[in-house]
């Protein structure tokens, strides 16, 4: 492992799709952890619905949230620079600068952002940065019952996420958008 | 520390600042809280008195504004982490409550808990919304109008308890102590309710097993002398019939199953419905409902005939194998294929796979076994098929359950009870655990008034209107009661019918006795109090003690909870006690253990062996080996109604939890597209379902995920209590539709024996 | 996530912003073409009209913000990758210059009277030089010249703002900016057609100003049509999500609004009317001159412009990147082919 001053962390989420069984523990954990008011959510499960004809059927569940893109369209279009990306790859919103124009919501290909009308802020996943600072993992990852969610520094080859991505085939959502998400799905 | 990070921290702090909402509500300091509460309730009772004068008291006492706690929380401020145990279902997963200024802001899993391993499902995470549910029972209530009219009089605890004791004594006087039924559901303070029942002198305690797992327990208990637990984590082949572990979560089974998925184990799952679990299985078998027993009998047939069983183990540790060989002769795979609508070659293949993977193979039996008349026989067959492949006390097989023995508190011996039980136990169902009772038989006899009238009903943490089939019958049972008292946290449908409602404190507001859960890793949990009880709710122990005092039974509760817990701790090491106080859980080291029990080869059965041929069953005149009864077919145009659950609710208890309801607002009727087309039903439109005992309307979910001959709905919806403002009126209660049917060995309810008609509604 | 984040306020702003920009453009053009005397009426009324719809529209924009107390933050920075940032600066500069321009076009007596008010007397001393001698004409020319790129900027940036969003395939075509630009100028022209038809000078001008406006509007409408055709063709031949999004106006919920409202009422009908008014000039005869027709054709164009923005603002938000979502929002697979 290279010990370099110039090497930054890049936090990423890796989801083993087969293990997600839609318990939605992550959705409620996020709501509790981040005080997200109904009816919006920072994260959700994409349900494929039932595929096929009885009895040859299939069904998939893909957890989703802000992808913390390397090239976030939301950051690009924000007129005040309120949306920014930390050096560890987490896309955040500086509420001092946000004017609430909702351009970022239009720009996000993943529909990951919404307006929190109670607190008048943009609501989106922050990879539980407040927990990361305490050395804990995001609430959704901690509570994932299927063990589907993995989180860590993908630039560290020894991390669980790096190993998963090396070992398994993976995909990201809407790769044609050129956003380079930090939210990976493995089979 | 580069500039960006600096900005990030700063802005996060400022951003969070903006998130503080100054909403009215109890002030943050804990000390201030109690004073404020009292003042609030003084004002509440003043307005209550006015309202009582005006309207005779309305149910609005049960409604209310949201407790300021949740919405005004901030993540700043001193955080206390309190070890507790989740109380939203039966799993009792260890949890850690984060408390800031007297408000529980988050529940996290307890990483040291051997079952839940640091995780909490959606329900566990939503426990906050139970604590702060605006519709929670807040004050004791006494009925002020006709039963079920929603007219309540707000009472003080003194009043309510005096009144309850008075009525109970009246009934005791007129009908004897057996005239009061005590029904309850398991939790850490249930013990005290059952103690009160015994002290009171009533033999009539009824718990939930006959609506759930009694067939499983009876079948396995009488086979193995105990109810074993599966070592799924180390299993290489897992067969599951109808135990929908992805949506009916059991820890650690669900976690073990998914950890192991596509890794060590092959997973084969039988279910007439394509549940989430089916979508994760390597093989899903869309078996015809009610025929699982045929499948297993055929498997046993193959294993026996092809000599795939563990000969040494069978000879050493089992009794009755020779009779089994004779018995399964007619149960061929070809026969089963016709019954189950599963190809015979598949049955044979699976039997062979199972036997060759053994002893690291389990035919998992789950928990709920309340399906149809074959259930006890089916569970016996499961016990047998596991036994003959020799997976007992072996890695990846069935293990003897372990618990930790705790100290007890001496109380005076209970009075002798002369009256027989209303449900005729133990004679009526001699293979059952007597104290659990048999609900359907009890209900029947109460309605008949034989052998004696039962006119009083104490209900603790139970909702019979939602749990028992044929809701109309349960309503009649309530109607004929002279006195019904419900102790609960939410104004359930059953509470709505009560004479007295007593608000219990939720699990986050209580310190509870230690509990040891039967597990392959023996452990003890200690639920500690996260916050003071809100409103005027009280822990059940206090309620029982107060009632006992008024009933002249104070000597049975002549201790306090602290002492009770200390006594429990006495049998534990200092290390264990420390761990319990600090972490809320202590696990005995060195488990799971394998082989010790197997080496001894002694089982707690009459023959001292695993009873493939059950001598006790024979003794009681039941089939000593499982016999298959084909289920009647639904008449033309009708469907078998199946019920089950999902991962977001626990039966009928949590539909009012707004965080959970948001995930899943109502139940729908699952129906196959061909059938839907035939009936002119489109997805999402309303349908009417008619059964021999009731009818209901709900939306249709047209899906390929179910067989053509059945329809399915989730259990637990269709609440009628207007005080449950979020849940009321959503969906339909399956129990309105399901007719009273039970299996004759255990008296356990058979929920899947009802046929229904489905029509498109306007 | 599924509701419209941008609604009526944004739609009306786009319309008003375009209108004001168009008026400014026409005013500047009139100055350029007309030298000192001809087309003065157009130049004057264009100048008067330019700032106020834009200011009102900007007000609506601020009203749409959910953190409006921070809106000054827009002017503490310039984010070059954000069309909204560039646009807000453009609006600021445009508002300032067009207000000043409107002031310049006031008749001298009006300026004097306006600045004689007690509170404004300070400003009078500063501004008096603007109407001394030749200055007035020179300044008007300078500002007209400035107004051309500024109005083009304001007209163009709204299309760029929408067009830069790949997450909304219906917007994400290269044609959108031009479409919005020409529509903006067209609505500005139309507004002036309506407005000037009521002025004294119009009657006196003998139809020459109407001729300019009509010609300009016909040109712009043709350009719009010439954009819509390739817009549809290119979208049809583009990535599947863009192709799917096209179904919103080809069989989907906005089909009628687009073809009948935007194209029919907003482009073809006024084109026909204006062509009718003007065609006699082809035979070197006097153009028709009817206030009723002027107002009618102007209002038609304005309606079309409003509907165009409605279709794009709402339709675009429906066309999430995920074609499945677009179909679902449009009311199920049955609604679209």
């Amino acid at each position: 492992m290279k010990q370099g001053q110039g090497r930054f962390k890049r936090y990423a989420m890796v989801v083993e799709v087969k293990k997600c069984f839609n318990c939605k523990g992550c959705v409620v954990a996020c709501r509790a952890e981040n005080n997200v008011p109904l009816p919006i959510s920072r994260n959700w499960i994409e349900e494929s619905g039932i595929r096929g004809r009885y009895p040859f059927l299939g069904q998939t569940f893909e957890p989703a949230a802000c992808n913390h893109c390397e090239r976030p369209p939301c950051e690009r279009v924000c007129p005040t620079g309120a949306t920014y990306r930390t050096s560890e790859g987490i896309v955040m919103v500086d509420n001092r600068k946000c004017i609430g124009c909702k351009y970022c919501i239009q720009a996000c290909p993943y529909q990951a952002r919404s307006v929190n009308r109670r607190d008048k802020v943009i609501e989106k996943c922050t990879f539980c940065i407040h927990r990361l600072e305490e050395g804990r993992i995001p609430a959704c990852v901690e509570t994932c019952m299927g063990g589907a969610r993995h989180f860590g520094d993908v630039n560290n080859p020894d991390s669980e996420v790096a190993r998963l991505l090396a070992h398994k085939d993976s995909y990201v959502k809407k790769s044609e958008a050129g956003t380079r998400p930090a939210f990976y799905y493995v089979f | 520390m580069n500039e960006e990070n600096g900005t990030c921290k700063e802005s996060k702090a400022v951003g969070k600042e903006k998130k503080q909402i100054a909403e009215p509500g109890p002030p943050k300091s804990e000390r201030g809280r109690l004073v404020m509460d009292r003042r609030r309730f003084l004002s509440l009772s003043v307005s209550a008195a006015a309202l009582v004068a005006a309207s005779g008291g309305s149910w609005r006492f049960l409604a209310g504004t949201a407790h300021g706690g949740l919405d005004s929380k901030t993540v700043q401020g001193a955080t206390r982490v309190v070890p507790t145990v989740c109380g939203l279902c039966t799993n009792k997963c260890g949890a850690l409550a984060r408390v800031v200024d007297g408000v529980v802001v988050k529940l996290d899993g307890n990483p040291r808990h051997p079952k839940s391993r640091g995780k909490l499902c959606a329900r566990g995470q939503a426990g906050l919304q139970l604590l702060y549910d605006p519709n929670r029972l807040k004050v004791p209530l006494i009925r002020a109008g006709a039963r079920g009219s929603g007219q309540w009089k707000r009472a003080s605890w003194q009043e309510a308890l005096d009144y309850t004791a008075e009525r109970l004594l009246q009934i005791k006087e007129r009908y004897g102590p057996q005239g009061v039924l005590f029904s309850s559901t398991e939790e850490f303070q249930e013990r005290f309710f059952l103690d009160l029942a015994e002290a009171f002198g009533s033999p009539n305690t009824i718990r939930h097993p006959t609506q759930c797992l009694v067939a499983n327990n009876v079948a396995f208990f009488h086979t193995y002398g105990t109810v074993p637990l599966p070592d799924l984590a180390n299993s290489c082949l897992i067969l599951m019939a109808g135990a929908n572990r992805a949506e009916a979560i059991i820890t650690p089974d669900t976690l073990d199953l998914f950890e192991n998925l596509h890794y060590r184990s092959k997973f084969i799952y039988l279910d007439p419905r394509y549940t989430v679990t089916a979508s994760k299985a390597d093989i899903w078998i869309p078996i015809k409902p009610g025929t699982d027993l045929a499948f297993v009998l055929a498997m046993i047939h193959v294993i026996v005939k092809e000599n795939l069983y563990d000969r040494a183990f069978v000879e050493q540790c089992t009794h009755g194998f020779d009779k089994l060989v004779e018995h399964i002769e007619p149960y061929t795979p070809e026969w089963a294929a016709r019954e189950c609508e599963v190809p015979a070659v598949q049955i044979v293949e699976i039997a062979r796979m199972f036997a060759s993977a053994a002893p690291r193979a389990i035919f998992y039996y789950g928990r709920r076994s309340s399906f149809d008349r074959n259930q006890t026989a089916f569970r016996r067959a499961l016990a047998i098929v596991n036994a003959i492949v020799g997976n007992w006390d072996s890695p990846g097989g069935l293990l003897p359950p372990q618990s930790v023995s705790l100290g007890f508190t001496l109380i005076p011996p209970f009075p002798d009870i002369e009256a027989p039980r209303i449900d005729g136990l133990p004679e009526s169902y001699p293979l059952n655990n007597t104290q659990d009772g048999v609900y359907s038989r009890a209900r029947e006899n109460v309605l008949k008034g034989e052998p004696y009238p039962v006119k009083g009903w104490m209900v603790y943490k139970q909702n019979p209107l939602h749990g028992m089939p044929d809701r109309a019958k349960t309503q009649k049972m309530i109607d004929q009661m002279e006195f019904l008292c419900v102790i609960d946290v939410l104004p359930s449908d059953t509470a709505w019918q009560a004479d007295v409602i007593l608000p219990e404190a939720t699990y986050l507001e209580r310190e509870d006795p230690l509990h040891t859960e039967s597990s392959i890793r023996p452990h003890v949990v200690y639920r500690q109090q996260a916050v003071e009880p809100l409103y005027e709710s009280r822990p059940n122990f206090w309620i029982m003690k107060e009632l006992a005092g008024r009933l002249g039974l104070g000597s049975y509760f002549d201790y306090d909870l602290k002492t009770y817990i200390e006594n429990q701790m006495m049998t534990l090491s200092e290390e264990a006690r420390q761990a319990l106080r600090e972490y809320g859980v202590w696990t005995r080291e060195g488990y799971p253990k394998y082989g010790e029990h197997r080496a001894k080869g002694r089982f707690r059965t009459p023959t001292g062996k695993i009873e493939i041929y059950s001598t006790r069953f024979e003794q009681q005149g039941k089939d000593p080996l499982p016999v298959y009864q084909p289920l009647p077919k639904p008449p033309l145009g009708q469907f078998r109604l199946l019920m089950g659950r999902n991962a977001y609710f626990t039966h009928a208890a949590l539909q009012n939890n707004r965080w959970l309801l948001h995930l899943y607002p109502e139940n729908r009727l699952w129906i196959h597209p061909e059938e839907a087309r035939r009936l002119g039903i489109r997805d999402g439109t309303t349908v009417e379902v008619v059964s021999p005992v009731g009818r209901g309307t709900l939306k249709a979910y047209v899906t390929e995920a179910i067989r053509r001959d059945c329809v399915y709905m989730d259990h637990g919806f269709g609440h009628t209590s207007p005080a449950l403002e979020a849940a009321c009126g959503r969906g339909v209660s399956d129990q309105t539709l399901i007719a009273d049917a039970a299996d004759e060995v255990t008296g356990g309810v058979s929920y899947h024996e009802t046929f229904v008609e489905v029509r498109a509604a306007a | 996530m599924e509701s419209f984040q941008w609604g009526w306020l944004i739609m009306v702003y786009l319309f008003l912003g375009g209108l004001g920009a168009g008026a400014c453009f026409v005013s500047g053009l009139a100055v350029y073409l007309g030298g000192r005397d001809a087309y003065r009426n157009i130049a004057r009324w264009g100048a008067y009209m330019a700032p106020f719809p834009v200011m009102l529209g900007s007000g609506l924009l601020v009203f749409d913000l959910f953190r409006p107390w921070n809106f000054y933050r827009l002017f503490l920075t310039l984010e070059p990758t954000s069309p909204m940032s560039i646009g807000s600066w453009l609006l600021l500069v445009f508002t300032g210059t067009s207000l000043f321009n409107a002031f310049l076009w006031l008749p001298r007596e009006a300026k004097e009277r306006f600045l004689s008010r007690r509170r404004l007397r300070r400003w009078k001393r500063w501004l008096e030089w603007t109407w001394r001698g030749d200055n007035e004409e020179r300044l008007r020319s300078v500002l007209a010249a400035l107004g051309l790129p500024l109005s083009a900027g304001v007209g163009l940036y709204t299309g760029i703002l929408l067009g830069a969003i790949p997450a909304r395939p219906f917007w994400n075509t290269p044609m959108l900016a031009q479409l919005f630009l020409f529509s903006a100028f067209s609505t500005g022209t139309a507004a002036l057609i309506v407005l000037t038809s009521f002025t004294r000078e119009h009657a006196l001008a003998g139809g020459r100003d109407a001729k300019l406006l009509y010609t300009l509007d016909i040109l712009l409408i043709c350009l719009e049509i010439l954009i819509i055709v390739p817009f549809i063709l290119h979208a049809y031949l583009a990535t599947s999500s863009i192709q799917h999004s096209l179904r919103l106006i080809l069989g989907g919920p906005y089909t009628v609004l687009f073809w009948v409202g935007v194209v029919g009422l907003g482009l073809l009908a006024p084109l026909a009317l204006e062509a009718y008014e003007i065609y006699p000039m082809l035979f070197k005869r006097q153009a028709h001159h009817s206030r009723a027709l002027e107002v009618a054709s102007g209002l038609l164009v304005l309606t079309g412009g409003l509907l165009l923005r409605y279709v794009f603002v709402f339709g675009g938000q429906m066309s999430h990147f995920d074609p499945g979502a677009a179909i679902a929002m449009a009311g199920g697979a049955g609604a679209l082919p």
Side-chain angles (χ1 to χ4, degrees), chain C residues 181-192:
Chain C
L181 177 69
F182 294 130
S183 172
F185 285 179
S186 173
T187 50
T189 311
L192 279 174

CSV table of all heavy atoms in Angstrom, one decimal, chain C residues 181-192:
chain,number,residue,atom,x,y,z
C,181,LEU,N,-34.5,31.2,-27.9
C,181,LEU,CA,-34.0,32.6,-28.3
C,181,LEU,C,-35.0,33.2,-29.4
C,181,LEU,O,-35.5,34.3,-29.2
C,181,LEU,CB,-32.6,32.5,-29.0
C,181,LEU,CG,-32.1,33.8,-29.5
C,181,LEU,CD1,-31.8,34.8,-28.4
C,181,LEU,CD2,-30.8,33.6,-30.3
C,182,PHE,N,-35.3,32.4,-30.4
C,182,PHE,CA,-36.1,32.9,-31.4
C,182,PHE,C,-37.5,33.1,-30.9
C,182,PHE,O,-38.2,34.1,-31.3
C,182,PHE,CB,-36.1,32.1,-32.7
C,182,PHE,CG,-34.8,32.0,-33.3
C,182,PHE,CD1,-34.2,30.9,-33.7
C,182,PHE,CD2,-34.1,33.2,-33.6
C,182,PHE,CE1,-32.9,30.9,-34.3
C,182,PHE,CE2,-32.9,33.3,-34.2
C,182,PHE,CZ,-32.3,32.1,-34.5
C,183,SER,N,-38.0,32.2,-30.0
C,183,SER,CA,-39.3,32.4,-29.4
C,183,SER,C,-39.3,33.7,-28.6
C,183,SER,O,-40.3,34.4,-28.6
C,183,SER,CB,-39.6,31.2,-28.6
C,183,SER,OG,-40.8,31.4,-27.9
C,184,ALA,N,-38.2,33.9,-27.9
C,184,ALA,CA,-38.1,35.1,-27.0
C,184,ALA,C,-38.3,36.4,-27.9
C,184,ALA,O,-39.1,37.3,-27.6
C,184,ALA,CB,-36.8,35.1,-26.2
C,185,PHE,N,-37.5,36.4,-28.9
C,185,PHE,CA,-37.5,37.6,-29.8
C,185,PHE,C,-38.9,37.7,-30.4
C,185,PHE,O,-39.4,38.8,-30.6
C,185,PHE,CB,-36.4,37.5,-30.8
C,185,PHE,CG,-35.0,37.8,-30.3
C,185,PHE,CD1,-33.9,37.7,-31.1
C,185,PHE,CD2,-34.8,38.1,-29.0
C,185,PHE,CE1,-32.6,38.0,-30.6
C,185,PHE,CE2,-33.6,38.4,-28.5
C,185,PHE,CZ,-32.5,38.3,-29.3
C,186,SER,N,-39.4,36.6,-30.8
C,186,SER,CA,-40.7,36.6,-31.4
C,186,SER,C,-41.8,37.2,-30.5
C,186,SER,O,-42.7,38.0,-30.9
C,186,SER,CB,-41.1,35.2,-31.9
C,186,SER,OG,-42.4,35.2,-32.4
C,187,THR,N,-41.8,36.7,-29.2
C,187,THR,CA,-42.8,37.2,-28.3
C,187,THR,C,-42.5,38.7,-28.0
C,187,THR,O,-43.5,39.5,-27.8
C,187,THR,CB,-42.7,36.5,-27.0
C,187,THR,OG1,-41.4,36.4,-26.5
C,187,THR,CG2,-43.3,35.1,-27.1
C,188,GLY,N,-41.3,39.1,-28.0
C,188,GLY,CA,-41.0,40.5,-27.8
C,188,GLY,C,-41.6,41.4,-29.0
C,188,GLY,O,-42.2,42.4,-28.8
C,189,THR,N,-41.3,40.8,-30.2
C,189,THR,CA,-41.8,41.5,-31.3
C,189,THR,C,-43.4,41.6,-31.3
C,189,THR,O,-44.0,42.6,-31.5
C,189,THR,CB,-41.4,40.8,-32.6
C,189,THR,OG1,-40.0,40.5,-32.5
C,189,THR,CG2,-41.7,41.6,-33.8
C,190,ALA,N,-44.0,40.5,-30.9
C,190,ALA,CA,-45.4,40.4,-30.9
C,190,ALA,C,-46.0,41.4,-29.9
C,190,ALA,O,-47.0,42.1,-30.1
C,190,ALA,CB,-45.9,39.0,-30.6
C,191,ALA,N,-45.3,41.4,-28.7
C,191,ALA,CA,-45.8,42.4,-27.7
C,191,ALA,C,-45.7,43.8,-28.2
C,191,ALA,O,-46.6,44.6,-28.0
C,191,ALA,CB,-44.9,42.2,-26.5
C,192,LEU,N,-44.7,44.1,-29.0
C,192,LEU,CA,-44.6,45.4,-29.5
C,192,LEU,C,-45.6,45.7,-30.6
C,192,LEU,O,-46.1,46.8,-30.8
C,192,LEU,CB,-43.2,45.7,-30.1
C,192,LEU,CG,-42.1,46.0,-29.0
C,192,LEU,CD1,-40.7,46.1,-29.6
C,192,LEU,CD2,-42.5,47.3,-28.4
